[in-house]
CSV table of all heavy atoms in Angstrom, one decimal:
chain,number,residue,atom,x,y,z
A,1,GLY,N,-0.1,50.7,-32.6
A,1,GLY,CA,-0.6,49.6,-31.7
A,1,GLY,C,0.4,48.6,-31.3
A,1,GLY,O,1.5,48.7,-31.6
A,2,ASP,N,-0.1,47.5,-30.7
A,2,ASP,CA,0.9,46.5,-30.2
A,2,ASP,C,1.5,45.7,-31.4
A,2,ASP,O,0.8,45.5,-32.4
A,2,ASP,CB,0.2,45.4,-29.4
A,2,ASP,CG,-0.2,46.0,-27.9
A,2,ASP,OD1,0.3,47.1,-27.7
A,2,ASP,OD2,-1.0,45.4,-27.3
A,3,LYS,N,2.8,45.5,-31.3
A,3,LYS,CA,3.5,44.7,-32.3
A,3,LYS,C,4.1,43.4,-31.7
A,3,LYS,O,4.7,43.6,-30.6
A,3,LYS,CB,4.6,45.6,-33.0
A,3,LYS,CG,5.4,44.9,-34.1
A,3,LYS,CD,6.3,45.8,-34.7
A,3,LYS,CE,7.2,45.1,-35.9
A,3,LYS,NZ,8.1,45.9,-36.4
A,4,LEU,N,4.0,42.3,-32.4
A,4,LEU,CA,4.5,41.1,-31.9
A,4,LEU,C,5.9,40.9,-32.4
A,4,LEU,O,6.2,41.0,-33.5
A,4,LEU,CB,3.6,40.0,-32.4
A,4,LEU,CG,4.1,38.5,-31.9
A,4,LEU,CD1,3.7,38.3,-30.4
A,4,LEU,CD2,3.3,37.4,-32.7
A,5,LEU,N,6.8,40.6,-31.5
A,5,LEU,CA,8.2,40.4,-31.7
A,5,LEU,C,8.6,39.0,-31.2
A,5,LEU,O,8.1,38.5,-30.2
A,5,LEU,CB,9.1,41.4,-31.1
A,5,LEU,CG,8.9,42.9,-31.4
A,5,LEU,CD1,9.9,43.8,-30.6
A,5,LEU,CD2,9.1,43.1,-32.9
A,6,LEU,N,9.5,38.3,-32.0
A,6,LEU,CA,9.9,37.1,-31.6
A,6,LEU,C,11.1,37.1,-30.6
A,6,LEU,O,12.0,38.1,-30.7
A,6,LEU,CB,10.4,36.3,-32.8
A,6,LEU,CG,9.2,36.0,-33.8
A,6,LEU,CD1,9.7,35.3,-35.2
A,6,LEU,CD2,8.1,35.1,-33.2
A,7,GLY,N,11.2,36.2,-29.8
A,7,GLY,CA,12.4,36.2,-28.8
A,7,GLY,C,13.7,36.0,-29.5
A,7,GLY,O,13.9,35.4,-30.6
A,8,ASP,N,14.7,36.6,-28.8
A,8,ASP,CA,16.1,36.6,-29.4
A,8,ASP,C,16.7,35.1,-29.6
A,8,ASP,O,17.2,34.8,-30.6
A,8,ASP,CB,17.0,37.3,-28.5
A,8,ASP,CG,16.8,38.9,-28.6
A,8,ASP,OD1,16.2,39.4,-29.6
A,8,ASP,OD2,17.2,39.6,-27.6
A,9,ARG,N,16.4,34.3,-28.6
A,9,ARG,CA,16.9,32.9,-28.7
A,9,ARG,C,16.2,32.2,-29.9
A,9,ARG,O,16.9,31.5,-30.6
A,9,ARG,CB,16.6,32.1,-27.5
A,9,ARG,CG,17.6,32.5,-26.3
A,9,ARG,CD,17.3,31.6,-25.1
A,9,ARG,NE,17.6,30.2,-25.4
A,9,ARG,CZ,17.3,29.2,-24.5
A,9,ARG,NH1,16.6,29.5,-23.4
A,9,ARG,NH2,17.5,28.0,-24.8
A,10,LEU,N,15.0,32.4,-30.1
A,10,LEU,CA,14.2,31.8,-31.2
A,10,LEU,C,14.8,32.3,-32.5
A,10,LEU,O,15.2,31.5,-33.5
A,10,LEU,CB,12.7,32.1,-31.1
A,10,LEU,CG,11.8,31.7,-32.3
A,10,LEU,CD1,12.0,30.1,-32.6
A,10,LEU,CD2,10.4,32.0,-32.0
A,11,LEU,N,15.0,33.6,-32.6
A,11,LEU,CA,15.5,34.2,-33.8
A,11,LEU,C,17.0,33.7,-34.2
A,11,LEU,O,17.3,33.4,-35.3
A,11,LEU,CB,15.5,35.8,-33.7
A,11,LEU,CG,14.2,36.5,-33.7
A,11,LEU,CD1,14.3,37.9,-33.4
A,11,LEU,CD2,13.5,36.3,-35.2
A,12,ASN,N,17.7,33.7,-33.1
A,12,ASN,CA,19.2,33.2,-33.4
A,12,ASN,C,19.3,31.8,-33.7
A,12,ASN,O,20.1,31.4,-34.6
A,12,ASN,CB,19.9,33.4,-31.9
A,12,ASN,CG,20.2,34.9,-31.6
A,12,ASN,OD1,20.2,35.7,-32.5
A,12,ASN,ND2,20.4,35.2,-30.4
A,13,ILE,N,18.5,30.9,-33.2
A,13,ILE,CA,18.5,29.5,-33.6
A,13,ILE,C,18.2,29.3,-35.1
A,13,ILE,O,18.8,28.6,-35.7
A,13,ILE,CB,17.5,28.7,-32.7
A,13,ILE,CG1,18.0,28.4,-31.3
A,13,ILE,CG2,17.3,27.2,-33.4
A,13,ILE,CD1,17.0,27.8,-30.4
A,14,ILE,N,17.1,30.1,-35.5
A,14,ILE,CA,16.7,29.9,-36.9
A,14,ILE,C,17.7,30.5,-37.8
A,14,ILE,O,18.1,29.9,-38.8
A,14,ILE,CB,15.4,30.7,-37.1
A,14,ILE,CG1,14.1,29.8,-36.4
A,14,ILE,CG2,15.0,30.8,-38.6
A,14,ILE,CD1,12.9,30.4,-36.4
A,15,ALA,N,18.3,31.7,-37.4
A,15,ALA,CA,19.3,32.3,-38.2
A,15,ALA,C,20.6,31.5,-38.2
A,15,ALA,O,21.3,31.4,-39.4
A,15,ALA,CB,19.6,33.7,-37.7
A,16,ASP,N,21.0,30.9,-37.1
A,16,ASP,CA,22.2,30.1,-37.1
A,16,ASP,C,22.1,28.9,-37.9
A,16,ASP,O,23.1,28.3,-38.3
A,16,ASP,CB,22.6,29.7,-35.7
A,16,ASP,CG,23.0,30.8,-34.7
A,16,ASP,OD1,23.4,32.0,-35.4
A,16,ASP,OD2,23.0,30.8,-33.5
A,17,ASN,N,20.9,28.5,-38.3
A,17,ASN,CA,20.7,27.3,-39.1
A,17,ASN,C,20.4,27.6,-40.6
A,17,ASN,O,20.1,26.8,-41.4
A,17,ASN,CB,19.6,26.4,-38.5
A,17,ASN,CG,20.0,25.5,-37.4
A,17,ASN,OD1,20.5,24.5,-37.5
A,17,ASN,ND2,19.7,26.1,-36.2
A,18,GLY,N,20.7,28.8,-40.9
A,18,GLY,CA,20.7,29.3,-42.3
A,18,GLY,C,19.3,29.7,-42.9
A,18,GLY,O,19.1,29.6,-44.1
A,19,PHE,N,18.4,29.9,-42.0
A,19,PHE,CA,17.0,30.3,-42.5
A,19,PHE,C,16.6,31.7,-42.1
A,19,PHE,O,17.1,32.2,-41.0
A,19,PHE,CB,15.9,29.2,-42.0
A,19,PHE,CG,16.3,27.9,-42.6
A,19,PHE,CD1,16.8,26.9,-41.8
A,19,PHE,CD2,15.8,27.5,-43.8
A,19,PHE,CE1,17.0,25.5,-42.3
A,19,PHE,CE2,16.0,26.3,-44.4
A,19,PHE,CZ,16.6,25.3,-43.6
A,20,ASN,N,15.5,32.2,-42.8
A,20,ASN,CA,15.1,33.5,-42.3
A,20,ASN,C,13.6,33.3,-42.2
A,20,ASN,O,12.8,32.5,-42.7
A,20,ASN,CB,15.2,34.5,-43.5
A,20,ASN,CG,16.8,34.8,-43.7
A,20,ASN,OD1,17.4,35.2,-42.8
A,20,ASN,ND2,17.2,34.7,-45.0
A,21,ILE,N,13.0,34.2,-41.4
A,21,ILE,CA,11.5,34.1,-41.1
A,21,ILE,C,10.8,35.2,-41.9
A,21,ILE,O,11.2,36.2,-42.3
A,21,ILE,CB,11.3,34.6,-39.6
A,21,ILE,CG1,12.0,33.5,-38.7
A,21,ILE,CG2,9.8,34.7,-39.3
A,21,ILE,CD1,11.9,33.9,-37.2
A,22,ASN,N,9.7,34.6,-42.5
A,22,ASN,CA,8.8,35.5,-43.2
A,22,ASN,C,8.0,36.3,-42.2
A,22,ASN,O,6.9,35.8,-41.7
A,22,ASN,CB,7.9,34.7,-44.2
A,22,ASN,CG,6.9,35.5,-45.0
A,22,ASN,OD1,6.8,36.7,-44.8
A,22,ASN,ND2,6.4,34.9,-46.0
A,23,GLU,N,8.3,37.5,-42.1
A,23,GLU,CA,7.7,38.4,-41.0
A,23,GLU,C,6.2,38.6,-41.1
A,23,GLU,O,5.4,38.9,-40.3
A,23,GLU,CB,8.4,39.7,-40.8
A,23,GLU,CG,9.9,39.5,-40.5
A,23,GLU,CD,10.6,40.9,-40.3
A,23,GLU,OE1,9.9,41.9,-40.4
A,23,GLU,OE2,11.7,40.9,-39.9
A,24,LYS,N,5.8,38.5,-42.5
A,24,LYS,CA,4.3,38.8,-42.8
A,24,LYS,C,3.4,37.6,-42.2
A,24,LYS,O,2.2,37.8,-42.2
A,24,LYS,CB,4.2,38.9,-44.3
A,24,LYS,CG,4.9,40.1,-44.9
A,24,LYS,CD,4.6,40.2,-46.4
A,24,LYS,CE,5.3,41.4,-46.9
A,24,LYS,NZ,5.1,41.5,-48.4
A,25,LYS,N,4.0,36.4,-42.0
A,25,LYS,CA,3.3,35.3,-41.5
A,25,LYS,C,3.4,34.9,-40.1
A,25,LYS,O,3.1,33.9,-39.7
A,25,LYS,CB,3.6,34.1,-42.4
A,25,LYS,CG,3.2,34.3,-43.9
A,25,LYS,CD,3.3,33.0,-44.7
A,25,LYS,CE,2.9,33.2,-46.1
A,25,LYS,NZ,2.9,31.8,-46.9
A,26,VAL,N,3.9,35.8,-39.2
A,26,VAL,CA,4.0,35.6,-37.8
A,26,VAL,C,2.8,36.0,-37.1
A,26,VAL,O,2.3,37.2,-37.3
A,26,VAL,CB,5.3,36.4,-37.3
A,26,VAL,CG1,5.3,36.2,-35.8
A,26,VAL,CG2,6.6,35.9,-37.8
A,27,ARG,N,2.1,35.1,-36.5
A,27,ARG,CA,0.9,35.4,-35.8
A,27,ARG,C,0.7,34.6,-34.5
A,27,ARG,O,1.1,33.4,-34.4
A,27,ARG,CB,-0.2,35.3,-36.7
A,27,ARG,CG,-0.5,33.9,-37.1
A,27,ARG,CD,-1.6,33.8,-38.2
A,27,ARG,NE,-2.1,32.5,-38.6
A,27,ARG,CZ,-1.3,31.6,-39.3
A,27,ARG,NH1,-0.2,32.0,-39.9
A,27,ARG,NH2,-1.9,30.3,-39.6
A,28,LEU,N,0.3,35.3,-33.4
A,28,LEU,CA,0.0,34.6,-32.2
A,28,LEU,C,-1.6,34.6,-32.0
A,28,LEU,O,-2.2,35.6,-32.0
A,28,LEU,CB,0.6,35.4,-31.0
A,28,LEU,CG,0.4,34.8,-29.7
A,28,LEU,CD1,1.1,33.4,-29.5
A,28,LEU,CD2,1.0,35.7,-28.5
A,29,GLN,N,-2.0,33.3,-32.0
A,29,GLN,CA,-3.5,33.1,-31.9
A,29,GLN,C,-3.8,32.8,-30.5
A,29,GLN,O,-3.3,31.9,-29.8
A,29,GLN,CB,-3.9,32.0,-32.9
A,29,GLN,CG,-3.5,32.2,-34.3
A,29,GLN,CD,-3.7,31.0,-35.1
A,29,GLN,OE1,-4.6,30.9,-35.9
A,29,GLN,NE2,-2.7,30.1,-35.1
A,30,VAL,N,-4.9,33.3,-30.0
A,30,VAL,CA,-5.3,33.3,-28.6
A,30,VAL,C,-6.6,32.5,-28.5
A,30,VAL,O,-7.5,32.7,-29.4
A,30,VAL,CB,-5.5,34.6,-27.9
A,30,VAL,CG1,-5.9,34.5,-26.4
A,30,VAL,CG2,-4.2,35.5,-28.1
A,31,ARG,N,-6.8,31.7,-27.5
A,31,ARG,CA,-8.1,30.9,-27.3
A,31,ARG,C,-9.2,31.9,-27.2
A,31,ARG,O,-9.2,33.0,-26.6
A,31,ARG,CB,-8.0,30.1,-25.9
A,31,ARG,CG,-9.2,29.2,-25.8
A,31,ARG,CD,-9.1,28.5,-24.3
A,31,ARG,NE,-8.1,27.6,-24.3
A,31,ARG,CZ,-7.7,27.0,-23.2
A,31,ARG,NH1,-8.1,27.3,-22.1
A,31,ARG,NH2,-6.7,26.0,-23.3
A,32,GLY,N,-10.3,31.4,-27.8
A,32,GLY,CA,-11.5,32.3,-28.0
A,32,GLY,C,-11.6,32.9,-29.3
A,32,GLY,O,-12.7,33.3,-29.7
A,33,ASN,N,-10.5,33.0,-30.0
A,33,ASN,CA,-10.5,33.4,-31.3
A,33,ASN,C,-10.2,32.2,-32.2
A,33,ASN,O,-9.8,31.1,-31.7
A,33,ASN,CB,-9.4,34.6,-31.6
A,33,ASN,CG,-9.7,35.8,-30.8
A,33,ASN,OD1,-10.9,36.3,-30.6
A,33,ASN,ND2,-8.7,36.4,-30.3
A,34,HIS,N,-10.3,32.4,-33.5
A,34,HIS,CA,-10.0,31.3,-34.5
A,34,HIS,C,-8.5,30.9,-34.4
A,34,HIS,O,-7.6,31.8,-34.5
A,34,HIS,CB,-10.3,31.8,-35.9
A,34,HIS,CG,-10.0,30.7,-36.9
A,34,HIS,ND1,-10.7,29.5,-37.1
A,34,HIS,CD2,-8.9,30.6,-37.8
A,34,HIS,CE1,-10.2,28.8,-38.0
A,34,HIS,NE2,-9.1,29.4,-38.5
A,35,GLN,N,-8.2,29.7,-34.2
A,35,GLN,CA,-6.8,29.2,-34.1
A,35,GLN,C,-6.6,28.2,-35.2
A,35,GLN,O,-7.5,27.3,-35.4
A,35,GLN,CB,-6.6,28.5,-32.8
A,35,GLN,CG,-6.5,29.5,-31.6
A,35,GLN,CD,-6.2,28.7,-30.3
A,35,GLN,OE1,-6.7,27.6,-30.1
A,35,GLN,NE2,-5.5,29.4,-29.4
A,36,GLU,N,-5.5,28.3,-35.9
A,36,GLU,CA,-5.3,27.5,-37.1
A,36,GLU,C,-3.8,27.0,-37.2
A,36,GLU,O,-2.9,27.8,-36.8
A,36,GLU,CB,-5.6,28.3,-38.3
A,36,GLU,CG,-5.5,27.6,-39.7
A,36,GLU,CD,-5.9,28.4,-40.8
A,36,GLU,OE1,-7.1,29.0,-40.8
A,36,GLU,OE2,-5.2,28.5,-41.8
A,37,VAL,N,-3.6,25.8,-37.5
A,37,VAL,CA,-2.2,25.2,-37.8
A,37,VAL,C,-2.3,24.4,-39.1
A,37,VAL,O,-3.1,23.6,-39.2
A,37,VAL,CB,-1.9,24.3,-36.6
A,37,VAL,CG1,-0.6,23.6,-36.7
A,37,VAL,CG2,-2.0,25.1,-35.2
A,38,THR,N,-1.3,24.7,-39.9
A,38,THR,CA,-1.2,24.1,-41.2
A,38,THR,C,-2.5,23.9,-41.9
A,38,THR,O,-2.9,22.9,-42.4
A,38,THR,CB,-0.5,22.7,-41.1
A,38,THR,OG1,-1.1,22.0,-40.1
A,38,THR,CG2,0.9,22.8,-41.0
A,39,GLY,N,-3.3,25.1,-41.9
A,39,GLY,CA,-4.5,25.1,-42.6
A,39,GLY,C,-5.8,24.4,-42.0
A,39,GLY,O,-6.9,24.5,-42.5
A,40,LEU,N,-5.6,23.9,-40.8
A,40,LEU,CA,-6.7,23.2,-40.1
A,40,LEU,C,-7.0,24.0,-38.9
A,40,LEU,O,-6.1,24.6,-38.2
A,40,LEU,CB,-6.3,21.7,-39.6
A,40,LEU,CG,-6.0,20.8,-40.8
A,40,LEU,CD1,-5.5,19.4,-40.2
A,40,LEU,CD2,-7.1,20.7,-41.7
A,41,THR,N,-8.3,24.1,-38.4
A,41,THR,CA,-8.7,24.7,-37.3
A,41,THR,C,-8.4,23.8,-36.1
A,41,THR,O,-8.6,22.6,-36.1
A,41,THR,CB,-10.4,25.0,-37.3
A,41,THR,OG1,-10.6,25.7,-38.4
A,41,THR,CG2,-10.9,25.6,-36.1
A,42,THR,N,-7.9,24.4,-34.9
A,42,THR,CA,-7.4,23.7,-33.9
A,42,THR,C,-8.0,24.1,-32.6
A,42,THR,O,-7.4,23.8,-31.4
A,42,THR,CB,-5.9,23.7,-33.8
A,42,THR,OG1,-5.4,25.1,-33.6
A,42,THR,CG2,-5.2,23.0,-35.0
A,43,ASN,N,-9.1,25.0,-32.6
A,43,ASN,CA,-9.5,25.4,-31.3
A,43,ASN,C,-9.9,24.3,-30.3
A,43,ASN,O,-9.6,24.5,-29.1
A,43,ASN,CB,-10.8,26.3,-31.5
A,43,ASN,CG,-10.5,27.6,-32.1
A,43,ASN,OD1,-10.2,27.7,-33.4
A,43,ASN,ND2,-10.6,28.7,-31.5
A,44,GLU,N,-10.5,23.3,-30.9
A,44,GLU,CA,-10.8,22.1,-30.0
A,44,GLU,C,-10.2,20.8,-30.4
A,44,GLU,O,-9.7,20.0,-29.7
A,44,GLU,CB,-12.4,21.8,-29.9
A,44,GLU,CG,-13.1,23.0,-29.3
A,44,GLU,CD,-14.6,22.9,-29.3
A,44,GLU,OE1,-15.0,21.7,-29.5
A,44,GLU,OE2,-15.4,23.7,-29.0
A,45,PHE,N,-10.3,20.6,-31.7
A,45,PHE,CA,-9.6,19.4,-32.4
A,45,PHE,C,-9.3,19.8,-33.8
A,45,PHE,O,-10.0,20.8,-34.4
A,45,PHE,CB,-10.5,18.2,-32.3
A,45,PHE,CG,-11.9,18.5,-32.8
A,45,PHE,CD1,-12.3,18.4,-34.0
A,45,PHE,CD2,-12.9,18.8,-31.8
A,45,PHE,CE1,-13.6,18.8,-34.4
A,45,PHE,CE2,-14.2,19.0,-32.2
A,45,PHE,CZ,-14.5,19.0,-33.5
A,46,PRO,N,-8.4,19.1,-34.5
A,46,PRO,CA,-8.1,19.4,-35.9
A,46,PRO,C,-9.4,19.2,-36.8
A,46,PRO,O,-10.2,18.3,-36.7
A,46,PRO,CB,-7.1,18.3,-36.3
A,46,PRO,CG,-6.4,17.9,-35.0
A,46,PRO,CD,-7.5,18.0,-34.1
C-alpha cells in the first residue's frame, strides 16, 4: 500500500543537527479524520 516518506531537505536538516527520526511515529493526518497534536485534538480547536 501507500507509504509516507519524508522530504530530503527535512531529513537532512534534522540529521545535520545531530538528531534521528522515530519512523514509527511519523503520520500525516488529513481533515475529516481525527487530527492530534501533542496529545490534544486539533480538528477545530485544541
Side-chain angles (χ1 to χ4, degrees):
D2 288 347
K3 181 179 180 180
L4 184 68
L5 298 178
L6 297 177
D8 288 341
R9 286 184 63 190
L10 173 56
L11 289 171
N12 289 336
I13 289 173
I14 291 175
D16 290 345
N17 282 277
F19 293 103
N20 296 307
I21 294 172
N22 185 343
E23 296 183 0
K24 295 180 180 179
K25 293 189 176 181
V26 176
R27 64 190 188 279
L28 181 62
Q29 304 170 98
V30 184
R31 180 186 292 168
N33 298 320
H34 176 76
Q35 293 179 326
E36 185 177 308
V37 176
T38 45
L40 299 179
T41 300
T42 58
N43 291 72
E44 296 180 12
F45 49 83

